[in-house]
Amino acid sequence: METAVQVKEEVKHKYGSAARAVSETGNFQSCCDPGLRCCDPITSNLYSAHETGLVPERAVLASLGCGNPTALIELKPGEVVLDLGSGGGIDVLLSARRVGAAGKAYGLDMTDEMLALARENQRQAGVENVEFLKGEIENIPLPNASVDVVISNCVINLSADKGRVLREAFRVLKPGGRFAVSDVVVRGFVPESVRESKLLWVGCIAGALEEQEYQAKLTQAGFTDVSIEPTRTYNIEDARHFLTEAGIEVDAIAHEVKDKFFSAFIRGVKPTASCCEPGCCGSISQAGRG
């Protein structure tokens, strides 16, 4: 099994390569890299023509997501949005337009090349209420209770410490704030050969959480109203594409991976009051005084 450090370095290298390809050539030649090709059936046709028309072409080309969280969450004028693993910035720029000048959209990424590309895309788009931050999603560089909405697009599955990512998302959300991400999720058992593949880690698959485990981790982090809504299930031919790229004999495990992977929209809410706030634990406090 890959260590957390190995996974992080591999992800940084592959996504840095993707950003350089888009910046230097204006197309996605890095898709020839096996570490990213496995995402091909996952990342296609996620945004409407209207949405892609609102952002620079290179923001679209650099998108390696598995969904469109900005289309599935209500954003209100004046809100503050944080995108975990913002890549080329497409979801940040779309969110910024929706929250308006009174709101703000943060993008967080650990890859210098992606941050440079995102900032150039911001400049070309002429969107001012955006700030791209360098950092890791396991250690979000923002204060407690500072954002209204946390979004992400096929990035949390890349982390080797997803529990910490979810706790950090909970920390930076204001009371009543919403967690609304797109991610790849697993239904049931997946062979160890898939789980251990480094290429599938950076390609969004091996690190995906099982759906019941995802719900449990969100609840443990403090979220309520947790839900996982499948948006696309990957069939065996999709699986054949990304498993073959990783050197896995597909036919030998076909029955074990069929319909196991799916993109989902995952929601949760930070409660408006925690049990430590005044009045919430009054009965316990009184009992403790006796």
Side-chain angles (χ1 to χ4, degrees):
M1 179 67 70
E2 296 293 316
T3 68
V5 173
Q6 287 174 315
V7 169
K8 188 170 293 183
E9 288 305 310
E10 192 69 20
V11 169
K12 188 181 294 186
H13 171 72
K14 297 300 182 183
Y15 284 72
S17 296
R20 285 194 299 273
V22 172
S23 297
E24 295 170 4
T25 69
N27 58 53
F28 207 176
Q29 294 298 325
S30 61
C31 273
C32 296
D33 189 320
L36 291 173
R37 283 189 66 190
C38 61
C39 271
D40 284 354
I42 296 175
T43 61
S44 59
N45 303 317
L46 301 179
Y47 298 91
S48 69
H50 172 70
E51 288 171 317
T52 57
L54 294 174
V55 297
E57 182 183 8
R58 292 187 180 188
V60 181
L61 289 171
S63 174
L64 290 168
C66 59
N68 184 348
T70 61
L72 296 172
I73 182 67
E74 180 185 3
L75 296 178
K76 304 180 182 71
E79 288 191 317
V80 179
V81 181
L82 167 64
D83 182 15
L84 301 180
S86 48
I90 184 170
D91 294 319
V92 178
L93 296 175
L94 290 173
S95 296
R97 292 187 183 279
R98 291 177 63 189
V99 300
K104 185 167 185 175
Y106 289 101
L108 175 63
D109 207 282
M110 67 177 180
T111 308
D112 289 328
E113 294 89 343
M114 277 295 187
L115 287 167
L117 177 61
R119 288 166 180 149
E120 175 59 20
N121 287 332
Q122 177 191 357
R123 186 191 66 78
Q124 291 184 19
V127 180
E128 296 184 356
N129 58 330
V130 162
E131 184 176 350
F132 289 102
L133 307 171
K134 182 174 182 179
E136 300 176 352
I137 61 175
E138 297 87 356
N139 297 286
I140 300 172
L142 287 173
N144 295 349
S146 55
V147 303
D148 297 290
V149 183
V150 170
I151 64 173
S152 186
N153 199 346
C154 199
V155 172
I156 295 175
N157 55 52
L158 299 175
S159 173
D161 192 349
K162 298 171 183 63
R164 183 164 180 169
V165 174
L166 300 179
R167 291 191 298 272
E168 277 288 275
F170 186 87
R171 178 184 66 79
V172 300
L173 278 169
K174 300 174 184 177
R178 292 105 69 207
F179 177 85
V181 309
S182 293
D183 218 348
V184 175
V185 182
V186 174
R187 178 170 289 134
F189 172 79
V190 172
E192 281 303 308
S193 58
V194 174
R195 288 292 189 194
E196 293 176 356
S197 171
K198 180 168 64 176
L199 289 179
L200 294 183
W201 262 101
V202 296
C204 313
I205 296 301
L209 284 174
E210 199 278 330
E211 59 181 328
Q212 299 301 321
E213 185 181 6
Y214 213 138
Q215 289 180 318
K217 285 185 180 295
L218 282 163
T219 300
Q220 290 163 7
F223 289 101
T224 59
D225 299 326
V226 172
S227 65
I228 296 180
E229 176 189 346
T231 53
R232 179 182 176 186
T233 298
Y234 306 115
N235 61 36
I236 194 62
E237 290 310 312
D238 291 329
R240 183 182 301 279
H241 180 92
F242 55 70
L243 291 171
T244 298
E245 290 296 340
I248 294 173
E249 183 57 48
V250 180
D251 292 331
I253 63 168
H255 66 289
E256 296 182 87
V257 298
K258 181 181 179 182
D259 299 329
K260 289 290 182 70
F261 297 100
F262 62 94
S263 293
F265 188 53
I266 300 154
R267 298 176 176 89
V269 176
K270 182 172 181 174
T272 54
S274 70
C275 117
C276 295
E277 291 181 359
C280 182
C281 296
S283 60
I284 297 176
S285 299
Q286 293 294 331
R289 291 174 187 166

